[in-house]
Amino acid sequence: MSENILYSNSNDFENDVLKSHLPVVVYFYSDDCPPCSAFAPIFERSQEKYSDQMKFVKIYRQQNRQLAESLNVKSSPTLLFYRDGKEVCSRLNGYISNPEFKKSIERVIGGFCVRADRKKVHCDVLILGGGAAGLSAAIYTSRAKLYTVVVDEGLTGGQVASTFHVANYPGTNGVVRGIDLMENMRKQAEDFGTTIDDMMEISQADFEGEDKFISTEDTDYYAKAIIIATGATPRKLPAEGEREFRGRGVHYCATCDGAMYQDANVLVIGGGNSATEEAVFLTRYVKHVTIVHHLDHFQATKGAQEEVFKNPNISVMWDCQVKKVIGENFVKGAIIENVKTKETTEIETDALFVYIGMEPKTELFKDKIELNEYGYIITDEDMKTNVPGVFAAGDVRDKNVRQIATATGDGVIASITVEKFISGR
Ligand SMILES: Cc1cc2nc3c(=O)[nH]c(=O)nc-3n(C[C@H](O)[C@H](O)[C@H](O)COP(=O)(O)OP(=O)(O)OC[C@H]3O[C@@H](n4cnc5c(N)ncnc54)[C@H](O)[C@@H]3O)c2cc1C
């Protein structure tokens, strides 16, 4: 590790970055972040080369969430460049290459790096979200020779990519890793000509004109048709302390964060398939899992329940819910309430993994298309929304079954409907 890289935080940001007499590059990083691991040696090598002309600062995003949010840093890695206390140049995120990083450094050092001009992209089909639904739609529209761009606010893959294994997606000839399944879908879409713009947060959407419009931090997209496939996100634990300890003991993805808890005692909250499957998965690392469930029975499938009951490292607290998460810097325990007796107990724990359902990612579209009372997008069976030229597919849609196969099915239907819409049939 290079000794000249400065590790900063929310308290020291002003002195370390804004008051620096040298230009500064600030690198927000996280644990369990493959693009961060790939970029770390590039950052170190570049620091060795440019240390007399630029200050290299690293900030651990999970422990400096407020700062990250105030700077609108939503993903890791994100690189920001500063000169004389002002942010300059375009941010870099995702899988950042050495030449790309070097070019930005030299532009900042050379003093001719101002914010880059906005890019304009005109395409036939714009797909928002690169999960199972979005990538399936992209495979079909690209193959139909429609110029297709997928914009994802994170890395593509969606929920499946953070699912350890998938056993029920037809045709996989056994269990597959979610991440592999989604890598194949992405590659298939790209091989047919899809452009993928990942790590791009959408800031604005306008569906009124003939051309549909969205903008991200540095690009304006115009499309003949849009497919919204932004999926769903885990519902947050409704308990005091959740926000404070999110990422520091409160987690929503066992595949992403479980390995941090070797030999620990953890809680899993929920009683459906995700909770029971992820509880079993966590026993690979942790000493003991306690499932906290507000009912006296699981809603998971029989198979998933059996896996829990036969595992000696899992116990269950029935009829219980978490009232409060407690700790100092990291979680140390939780206050659990019995929903029938209202009795509360304080228990020690190292982490909570929460699986209490999902919420649709439709905040951006709420005044633009018709949503149901829970925020899911209403479509007809051809995936049309109430706005011509705007379609929706996958978990974001109002429907009964949310699985990979139904998401890919929706994506395929949406793509064929879009093809007809564009050709005026
Ligand atoms: C823990 C867990 C285990 C599961 N196991 C299984 C299983 O074994 N079998 C099965 O069939 N199903 C399983 N599912 C359900 C399955 O994963 C989903 O039904 C499926 O992934 C839905 O795909 P989607 O493309 O609609 O949405 P998502 O997978 O949610 O993808 C949405 C994509 O949109 C992106 N996005 C979100 N908001 C924006 C925005 N504003 N701008 C741009 N991009 C955005 C996201 O980054 C994401 O990449 C599981 C789900 C979970 C949570």
Side-chain angles (χ1 to χ4, degrees):
M1 189 190 297
S2 174
E3 286 169 11
N4 292 320
I5 292 174
L6 181 67
Y7 284 77
S8 188
N9 55 41
S10 309
N11 293 338
D12 299 334
F13 185 78
E14 188 171 347
N15 272 338
D16 291 344
V17 178
L18 301 182
K19 292 189 175 161
S20 166
H21 65 278
L22 280 180
V24 190
V25 51
V26 181
Y27 165 25
F28 278 89
Y29 68 102
S30 300
D31 288 333
D32 296 317
C33 155
C36 300
S37 312
F39 179 66
I42 298 176
F43 192 73
E44 285 189 18
R45 289 282 180 84
S46 306
Q47 187 279 326
E48 284 159 17
K49 190 165 168 200
Y50 293 103
S51 61
D52 51 343
Q53 299 167 81
M54 184 167 238
K55 196 163 165 185
F56 284 67
V57 172
K58 278 182 92 166
I59 299 181
Y60 184 35
R61 190 163 72 94
Q62 281 142 326
Q63 279 181 359
N64 294 280
R65 279 187 188 277
Q66 255 181 340
L67 173 67
E69 277 170 21
S70 70
L71 296 171
N72 205 18
V73 171
K74 298 277 165 78
S75 59
S76 300
T78 295
L79 297 188
L80 291 77
F81 300 90
Y82 286 83
R83 222 190 145 89
D84 301 325
K86 296 223 161 48
E87 192 185 345
V88 292
C89 205
S90 295
R91 295 177 175 194
L92 299 177
N93 19 37
Y95 280 96
I96 303 163
S97 69
N98 191 25
E100 195 181 5
F101 185 39
K102 188 172 164 213
K103 198 167 145 200
S104 292
I105 292 176
E106 292 188 348
R107 281 168 61 80
V108 178
I109 291 172
F112 44 81
C113 182
V114 287
R115 278 199 178 270
D117 289 341
R118 294 187 65 72
K119 267 197 298 178
K120 293 208 183 317
V121 173
H122 291 265
C123 57
D124 294 316
V125 188
L126 187 60
I127 299 176
L128 311 183
L135 290 177
S136 303
I139 290 167
Y140 272 65
T141 53
S142 299
R143 189 153 187 254
K145 305 283 180 223
L146 295 171
Y147 175 33
T148 302
V149 179
V150 173
V151 176
D152 198 299
E153 67 175 10
L155 293 172
T156 57
Q159 295 166 62
V160 186
S162 62
T163 303
F164 178 62
H165 70 226
V166 175
N168 54 6
Y169 187 66
T172 53
N173 196 19
V175 171
V176 284
R177 291 194 321 154
I179 199 160
D180 294 337
L181 182 64
M182 295 318 293
E183 193 47 45
N184 288 345
M185 281 195 206
R186 175 182 172 131
K187 188 167 182 315
Q188 200 175 353
E190 285 179 321
D191 287 350
F192 282 126
T194 300
T195 298
I196 296 190
D197 287 351
D198 53 11
M199 305 297 244
M200 290 283 188
E201 201 196 343
I202 300 169
S203 48
Q204 227 188 313
D206 183 352
F207 300 153
E208 279 182 9
E210 196 169 324
D211 268 358
K212 308 300 167 202
F213 168 81
I214 65 146
S215 64
T216 62
E217 192 188 312
D218 58 7
T219 309
D220 293 333
Y221 294 87
Y222 302 85
K224 293 178 186 160
I226 281 198
I227 300 174
I228 302 173
T230 46
T233 184
R235 181 167 299 138
K236 302 293 175 281
L237 183 72
E240 198 184 324
E242 185 279 336
R243 186 67 195 87
E244 190 185 345
F245 292 105
R246 199 184 298 162
R248 291 184 293 134
V250 175
H251 301 277
Y252 292 86
C253 173
T255 316
C256 317
D257 302 324
M260 291 195 285
Y261 294 97
Q262 300 284 347
D263 293 325
N265 290 307
V266 302
L267 304 182
V268 164
I269 321 301
N273 270 17
S274 296
T276 47
E277 285 167 14
E278 301 302 304
V280 172
F281 169 73
L282 279 166
T283 58
R284 288 163 175 252
Y285 305 113
V286 306
K287 191 156 58 181
H288 190 82
V289 175
T290 305
I291 299 180
V292 178
H293 188 37
H294 70 291
L295 300 178
D296 61 2
H297 60 276
F298 287 133
Q299 302 104 309
T301 55
K302 221 167 170 198
Q305 295 193 36
E306 276 165 13
E307 292 294 314
V308 166
F309 294 134
K310 74 179 186 205
N311 192 316
N313 298 323
I314 303 181
S315 56
V316 188
M317 291 178 80
W318 300 110
D319 295 320
C320 284
Q321 64 184 12
V322 178
K323 289 298 280 180
K324 186 173 176 184
V325 183
I326 43 186
E328 280 165 23
N329 276 333
F330 289 88
V331 164
K332 285 191 168 161
I335 296 180
I336 310 288
E337 179 188 66
N338 183 304
V339 294
K340 289 190 173 150
T341 63
K342 300 291 172 204
E343 202 178 300
T344 57
T345 337
E346 183 173 328
I347 57 171
E348 281 184 20
T349 188
D350 299 301
L352 295 85
F353 286 84
V354 183
Y355 298 96
I356 54 171
M358 308 293 287
E359 287 169 353
K361 296 211 63 181
T362 50
E363 188 60 24
L364 201 64
F365 319 115
K366 73 174 182 238
D367 304 321
K368 300 182 171 70
I369 48 174
E370 199 183 345
L371 308 177
N372 75 6
E373 59 186 307
Y374 306 107
Y376 289 94
I377 300 175
I378 297 175
T379 68
D380 67 8
E381 62 180 29
D382 293 328
M383 310 298 144
K384 290 180 187 159
T385 69
N386 63 320
V387 177
V390 181
F391 305 81
D395 279 17
V396 77
R397 203 166 76 76
D398 175 24
K399 61 179 184 176
N400 292 328
V401 181
R402 293 195 174 82
Q403 286 283 282
I404 307 168
T406 59
T408 58
D410 283 1
V412 172
I413 296 169
S415 67
I416 292 170
T417 315
V418 161
E419 228 187 297
K420 289 184 184 162
F421 172 81
I422 289 179
S423 63
R425 280 182 284 149

